Amino acid sequence: MDGAPTDSTHLNWGNVGLGFSFILFNALISTSLQLGVGSSLLSAAIRCVVQLGLVALVLQKVFETNNPWAVGGIACLLNLLGTIEAVVNKSKKRYNHMFSSVLFGMLCSTIPVSIIGIRFAMAIEPFWKPEQYIPIVGMLCGGTISGIVVSVSYVLQEIYDNRDKVEMYLAFGASRFEACRPVAREALRLALTPTINQMSVIGIIAIPGMMTGAILGGSSVQQAARLQMVIMFMISASTALASIITTITTLAVVVDSEDRLRPDRVDVREHPVWRARNWLFSRAVDGVKRMMRSCCGLRRKDRQNGAAETARLLG
């Protein structure tokens, strides 16, 4: 059984289609139970197929060129896309200059942690080997996004919706650092809880995908396990560093240098991207309705003219 996995790893689009049947099964269950998530499942699955297909094409070119600048560009692109996902799709509340501060936090966490971890903990030289560096940066970005969203969402909720406690601290003469310290502590605790839980169950209850991929790729089980340990520790460090940076920058924006709460700097509306989408959709729907009304009016007018002509001929 030593070489058994080799043939099973060569998949075609027919295999993907068979895997897609599981999504169709979930959508059928959602429709039967009226859960209302069937369309979301299908759209997310289609998005997954398109995104992974495009990523495979791009990464294949990058792997073939073996250029450190191309690897750095892909790493920055992953951080940029992660920032868009965190700010545009995941955050219900936003603050001024949130995009730049989240991007700064991600770059300052994923890039140094990935370089140090790959070069020294994984002992890979050069550290920018595309087949090693890019997947690891992608995993760091994925873990970092969740930590950033949780910490920033908690801070904005406390400052915007539950600001009485912070205002009381400030009213009694506390500095903004002293008033915001409990909020920051709880935000960071919540941001790191998923990573802690994941490390607690990994290997016993859940076998992670990186370890499974390494085993299928031909690595020994021991090497795959050690690789997964290093990667989990890197994800934990990257998530903690990014959460700290974004929490501090968020509090610096919503509590100004004069120790005043600034809820006016928090935007609770939908992101402008979605507002623009809804506006374009409503305009398109209105255009279709006007076109249908004009067509119906022309048909009604033709029928009236035909009836009048018939009456004239009969009369």
Side-chain angles (χ1 to χ4, degrees):
M1 297 297 293
D2 294 337
T6 52
D7 290 335
S8 62
T9 56
H10 296 286
L11 305 178
N12 54 36
W13 288 107
N15 300 112
V16 177
L18 290 174
F20 192 78
S21 62
F22 295 114
I23 298 296
L24 295 177
F25 176 73
N26 288 342
L28 180 62
I29 292 177
S30 172
T31 304
S32 302
L33 300 179
Q34 298 180 350
L35 301 180
V37 296
S39 59
S40 300
L41 279 171
L42 291 175
S43 62
I46 293 173
R47 180 181 171 184
C48 174
V49 171
V50 173
Q51 290 175 171
L52 288 177
L54 292 175
V55 166
L57 291 175
V58 173
L59 292 186
Q60 184 65 33
K61 299 296 183 181
V62 175
F63 289 175
E64 291 173 356
T65 58
N66 199 28
N67 189 323
W69 293 106
V71 174
I74 293 295
C76 293
L77 179 62
L78 291 175
N79 280 275
L80 178 62
L81 294 176
T83 302
I84 294 173
E85 181 70 17
V87 176
V88 177
N89 291 335
K90 303 295 184 183
S91 299
K92 295 182 179 179
K93 294 184 178 68
R94 290 165 303 279
Y95 57 90
N96 296 348
H97 311 296
M98 180 177 177
F99 188 90
S100 57
S101 63
V102 171
L103 180 60
F104 175 75
M106 290 196 65
L107 288 173
C108 290
S109 60
T110 58
I111 300 301
V113 169
S114 61
I115 293 175
I116 295 172
I118 294 174
R119 176 62 186 87
F120 297 103
M122 298 174 64
I124 296 175
E125 190 176 359
F127 69 87
W128 51 265
K129 283 185 177 180
E131 61 274 10
Q132 303 284 346
Y133 188 78
I134 294 176
I136 289 176
V137 170
M139 286 186 287
L140 295 183
C141 289
T144 302
I145 289 172
S146 61
I148 288 176
V149 171
V150 170
S151 60
V152 172
S153 298
Y154 180 80
V155 169
L156 294 181
Q157 180 182 355
E158 290 297 305
I159 297 300
Y160 191 84
D161 297 330
N162 307 316
R163 56 180 180 266
D164 296 341
K165 186 184 297 185
V166 178
E167 286 181 336
M168 183 183 67
Y169 281 126
L170 294 174
F172 278 94
S175 64
R176 64 174 176 172
F177 174 78
E178 295 170 334
C180 295
R181 184 165 51 187
V183 176
R185 185 186 298 118
E186 184 65 17
L188 294 176
R189 187 187 67 80
L190 292 174
L192 293 177
T193 297
T195 304
I196 296 172
N197 293 338
Q198 188 177 5
M199 285 193 293
S200 300
V201 302
I202 196 169
I204 297 178
I205 301 174
I207 297 179
M210 189 67 183
M211 181 177 175
T212 303
I215 294 173
L216 292 176
S219 299
S220 67
V221 178
Q222 292 294 332
Q223 287 296 318
R226 292 166 189 161
L227 175 65
Q228 187 62 54
M229 294 175 197
V230 174
I231 290 174
M232 285 304 303
F233 299 154
M234 291 168 64
I235 291 175
S236 175
S238 178
T239 303
L241 186 57
S243 300
I244 291 172
I245 293 173
T246 52
T247 299
I248 291 174
T249 54
T250 302
L251 289 171
V253 171
V254 297
V255 183
D256 62 18
S257 58
E258 297 181 2
D259 298 337
R260 297 177 303 179
L261 284 180
R262 299 298 301 272
D264 57 295
R265 295 179 177 177
V266 181
D267 189 359
V268 298
R269 299 172 298 172
E270 284 188 319
H271 194 273
V273 171
W274 305 126
R275 295 205 300 270
R277 181 202 63 179
N278 295 336
W279 180 80
L280 291 173
F281 181 76
S282 63
R283 292 298 296 270
V285 171
D286 292 340
V288 172
K289 288 181 178 178
R290 284 195 298 268
M291 187 181 302
M292 292 178 64
R293 281 196 296 266
S294 63
C295 292
C296 292
L298 289 175
R299 291 197 195 100
R300 192 179 300 112
K301 187 175 181 181
D302 291 340
R303 286 196 298 268
Q304 291 174 354
N305 292 336
E309 184 66 20
T310 302
R312 185 181 66 81
L313 293 174
L314 293 175

